[in-house]
Amino acid sequence: MTIRAAVPADADGLAEVHVRTWQSAYRGLLPQDYLDGLSVADRAGQWREWLGRMAPPRAVLVLEPGVSGFITVGAGDADGAGHVYALYVLPERQGRGGGRALMAAGLDALRAAGFTAATLYVLDTNVAARRFYEAAGWWADGGTLVDESRGFPITEIRYRREL
């Protein structure tokens, strides 16, 4: 299993993983019309923009072969902790250790940037993701947020772990 830093040429692959994983993982958890309306082409444009302006400590790491998963890490919002912004693996590649490998690489990147703790937010109803994080040593620290930027509320729970 190979993990490497993302490059601008990965934008289409990152978008494919991002959209397909949202459509799979959030089925029944987010409005279906929203999930059906997600566009790989639109998301690829966003990824090109994000990758073009990304600077340390922000990093995107890609799981190969191709782009079969990714993790995005950087500075956080809670008392100087690093943050895991996103971790996604294509549905057909899940359960093979890629998510664990990406998480390990992302946490290594945060450690290398000088962080001693990390946070992430997870959809409160995403039981599978919460189990994954808890098995990896994360715990709900009591923080929450409600994101209404998509036109409907998404309630997320903050998880934390020491590095």
Side-chain angles (χ1 to χ4, degrees):
M1 207 168 300
T2 303
I3 297 174
R4 61 173 174 77
V7 296
D10 292 322
D12 290 336
L14 290 163
E16 178 81 16
V17 171
H18 210 163
V19 169
R20 288 189 49 218
T21 304
W22 267 60
Q23 289 172 331
S24 173
Y26 300 142
R27 184 173 311 283
L29 304 178
L30 297 180
Q32 191 60 44
D33 60 332
Y34 175 79
L35 295 173
D36 291 343
L38 293 174
S39 161
V40 171
D42 290 345
R43 189 54 55 112
Q46 292 171 336
W47 272 108
R48 280 185 197 84
E49 179 185 332
W50 294 334
L51 291 169
R53 62 184 162 104
M54 195 161 301
R58 189 81 168 222
V60 179
L61 304 174
V62 171
L63 176 68
E64 293 184 323
V67 177
S68 53
F70 70 88
I71 188 168
T72 304
V73 298
D77 64 347
D79 58 27
H83 193 73
V84 175
Y85 288 92
L87 171 62
Y88 296 109
V89 175
L90 285 171
E92 65 271 17
R93 301 277 307 171
Q94 293 175 7
R96 300 179 187 178
R100 288 186 302 277
L102 281 166
M103 179 62 78
L107 296 181
D108 285 347
L110 290 174
R111 277 187 208 94
F115 296 104
T116 59
T119 59
L120 60 81
Y121 282 92
V122 61
L123 186 66
D124 64 342
T125 55
N126 190 341
V127 175
R130 292 179 67 180
R131 278 191 209 131
F132 173 83
Y133 296 130
E134 290 166 7
W138 296 82
W139 67 89
D141 72 358
T144 61
L145 68 80
V146 178
D147 177 357
E148 296 193 31
S149 65
R150 293 170 181 85
F152 51 88
I154 299 175
T155 303
E156 297 177 280
I157 297 172
R158 188 175 60 211
Y159 274 64
R160 181 179 186 87
R161 70 165 281 164
E162 300 307 314
L163 300 177

